[in-house]
Amino acid sequence: MQLGVNVPNFGPGTDPGVLREWARTTEGLGFDLLMLSDHVAITPDVAERYPEPFFEPFTALSWLAGTGTRLRLGTTVLILPYRHPRLLARMAANLDQLSEGRLVLGVGVGWARQEFEALGVPFTARGRLTDEALTVLRETVPGVPVWVGGQSPAALRRTVRFGDAWHPLRLPVDRMRALLTDRPLPGFAPRIALRLTDAPVTDPERLAGVGTLEQVLDDLDQLRRLGAGTVVLDPYHGDPEQTRHPETAWRALAEIATHRRSTP
C-alpha cells in the first residue's frame, strides 16, 4: 500500500519556497504521492478554511513537476464543474506528459455555493456537469487514474461508472468499511486525517488518522486490509494559521514514515 500527503497549497504561511520544502520533505520521508486541493474563486465560504494565497493546483503541480521531484502528483479533489471539460482534459493530459505519467486526478462535485455563483456555474447542476466532465476525461485522457471523491450514493455510482478508485475524504474506518460492503468498487484510495495525540481518542465517531500513533497505525492496517491501494494523509485541520508552522505536520509525517521503514 502506498502513502501520499495532501499538502496545503493555500493560507498565510504558504509560498513557493514552502511548497518546494513540502515536496522535498514528502519525498525525503519516503512517501509516494503529493496531492493539492482545488479552489478557483476564494469566496467567503472558501476563505474561512482555505484563504489566500491559494495556488491553483494544475499550475502548482506543473511547477513542482519541474523542480526535480519524482513523486506522483495529484489533486484531492479537483472540482470538475469549475472548468470546461475540454480545457480540463487538455490541462490534465499536458500535466501528465510533463510529469512523465505521474498524474493522479482525485475529483469531486464541489460544495462552496458562493464560489459556484462567482464562477457563473449553476450549483444545482454540479452533478450533471461532473458526469459530463468525466465522460470527456475518459474519452480523451485514458491513461490518467481517476479517483472519485464523495460518499453519497451518486458518488459511489459515479465511481463504478467512471473511476479507477473510490476516494472518500476524512471518514471513520467503520463508515468506509460499511460503504465498501454495499457494492463492488474498482479500487479504494481514501484520504484520511493525520493528527497525532498523546492520549487515545475514544470518540466512537473518531476519524481515521486521528489518535495516538498506535491508533493511526492500526487505521492504516485496517485500510490496507480493506483493499486500499493508496492512503493519502491530510495533516491540515482547518485552522489557516497552521500553514505558518508546517514543521508540526512534518513531525507527524516523520513518525509515520519511521514506522513504515521499520515494518517488513
Side-chain angles (χ1 to χ4, degrees):
M1 183 177 78
Q2 294 196 331
L3 291 180
V5 180
N6 183 30
V7 169
N9 51 321
F10 53 82
T14 299
D15 59 30
V18 171
L19 282 175
R20 187 185 296 110
E21 194 59 34
W22 265 106
R24 289 174 177 166
T25 300
T26 299
E27 188 164 28
L29 289 172
F31 290 95
D32 307 288
L33 169 66
L34 181 153
M35 305 193 91
L36 301 180
S37 300
D38 180 34
H39 284 287
V40 176
I42 311 305
T43 48
D45 50 352
V46 174
E48 186 175 349
R49 289 173 61 90
Y50 311 109
E52 296 276 14
F54 199 112
F55 291 89
E56 193 277 330
F58 277 117
T59 307
L61 290 171
S62 296
W63 175 72
L64 285 171
T67 62
T69 179
R70 300 306 304 167
L71 290 162
R72 296 167 73 202
L73 302 167
T75 56
T76 178
V77 292
L78 192 75
I79 304 169
L80 292 183
Y82 286 173
R83 299 166 181 85
H84 189 284
R86 295 291 172 184
L87 173 62
L88 172 63
R90 174 57 60 89
M91 294 169 73
N94 287 173
L95 177 51
D96 192 55
Q97 292 168 340
L98 291 168
S99 65
E100 300 179 321
R102 287 182 282 147
L103 179 62
V104 177
L105 281 180
V107 303
V109 301
W111 57 269
R113 186 180 292 269
Q114 293 174 2
E115 188 176 16
F116 274 84
E117 293 173 353
L119 294 170
V121 180
F123 184 77
T124 56
R126 66 194 189 282
R128 173 180 58 81
L129 294 171
T130 294
D131 287 347
E132 291 174 1
L134 284 167
T135 299
V136 172
L137 278 172
R138 280 317 202 184
E139 290 173 350
T140 58
V141 199
V144 174
V146 174
W147 298 354
V148 180
Q151 57 177 304
S152 68
L156 293 171
R157 289 194 299 270
R158 196 169 283 124
T159 300
V160 172
R161 182 180 176 190
F162 297 108
D164 296 290
W166 178 44
H167 185 51
L169 310 181
R170 301 176 70 95
L171 294 178
V173 171
D174 287 345
R175 176 63 175 157
M176 289 185 274
R177 180 182 291 109
L179 290 168
L180 284 166
T181 60
D182 286 343
R183 68 184 71 202
L185 295 171
F188 179 41
R191 187 180 101 199
I192 67 172
L194 178 61
R195 182 164 63 86
L196 298 181
T197 61
D198 294 328
V201 177
T202 58
D203 185 344
E205 296 299 314
R206 178 182 68 87
L207 297 179
V210 175
T212 63
L213 178 62
E214 291 72 20
Q215 284 182 299
V216 174
L217 293 174
D218 182 65
D219 290 339
L220 290 172
D221 185 58
Q222 290 189 62
L223 293 171
R224 179 184 61 80
R225 293 173 185 273
L226 287 172
T230 304
V231 175
V232 180
L233 302 173
D234 184 357
Y236 178 68
H237 311 307
D239 179 3
E241 287 299 308
Q242 285 181 258
T243 63
R244 298 187 190 275
H245 306 286
E247 60 278 0
T248 302
W250 297 342
R251 285 194 294 269
L253 290 167
E255 290 199 54
I256 300 296
T258 297
H259 183 273
R260 186 189 191 194
R261 287 193 294 267
S262 65
T263 302

